[in-house]
Amino acid sequence: MILTPIPAEVMPEALAAFEKTLAERTLADPAFQAGRLPLAAFRRIAATWPVPGGVDTPDQRADAVRLAHAHGIDTLDEPPNTSFMWDGKVIRTDVEATVIVHEVAHWLLAAPERRPLYDYGLGPGPETTRRKEARSQQKLTFEECMHEEQQTSLLGILWEAELGQPAILAFLEQNWMEHWERESTVRFFTRHVEELHQRGLIDAEGRPTTARTWADERRFAAA
């Protein structure tokens, strides 16, 4: 849920200010190449504003499901609100496209030993109704869960940008631009972008690195 909605007429100013602060930090970074990464990642996200077409279209959902399959993740076309979003075996996909992409990012960030657990051992997600069972398999502390959720959020958003989906909406919904005028907001974004890069999940241009052959073929076909 957006804590402080940004009116559409303010968005150009907000995006420009965010980018300007990132650019200034880039120029001030002694390791210039490292400094370019957050700026490149942000530009990928910002390029999806304004949203030109539909949101959560059948094509977007189908692409999100294909993204899961490209990673070798099984899916089930049923709503998660009768059990789990992820039950250790399948992602339930009768949900919005952005939720499916977010769930793929969860799978990518979860340690392999947590992938067979309900909701990746993080405790119940918002779509999960069998909450007691999910809590019984929780392996991380609250602070660890929050950090992984932040990483998952940003990786999912970058995957949405890669798929040509309206990543900016998830960026806003998940409050990455809350207090967009503050440098601390940009620092928070930068820290998470750099960590995703260190973990090998995005490249120096902010593109996701996994299932890259599939992503490159998809991009070539769309060109």
Side-chain angles (χ1 to χ4, degrees), residues 45 48 51-56 60 98 160-161 164-171:
I45 298 165
T48 67
V51 177
V55 177
D56 191 36
Q60 288 170 358
T98 186
E160 286 192 59
Q165 299 192 7
I168 190 65
L169 299 183
F171 197 64

Side-chain angles (χ1 to χ4, degrees), residues 4-82:
T4 309
I6 302 175
E9 61 270 21
V10 177
M11 277 294 292
E13 176 190 355
L15 292 171
F18 201 103
E19 179 169 338
K20 181 174 182 290
T21 303
L22 276 172
E24 289 169 350
R25 287 175 61 83
T26 296
L27 292 173
D29 193 328
F32 185 70
Q33 286 297 112
R36 280 177 44 194
L37 168 62
L39 183 59
F42 177 73
R43 283 173 172 167
R44 288 184 180 279
I45 298 165
T48 67
W49 178 271
V51 177
V55 177
D56 191 36
T57 65
D59 284 346
Q60 288 170 358
R61 289 194 189 193
D63 235 4
V65 172
R66 283 191 284 268
L67 173 66
H69 295 168
H71 285 93
I73 306 170
D74 289 332
T75 62
L76 182 61
D77 185 21
E78 70 175 29
N81 60 11
T82 57

Side-chain angles (χ1 to χ4, degrees), residues 110-122:
E113 63 269 19
R114 287 193 284 111
R115 288 177 182 168
L117 303 179
Y118 299 140
D119 290 337
Y120 313 98
L122 296 170

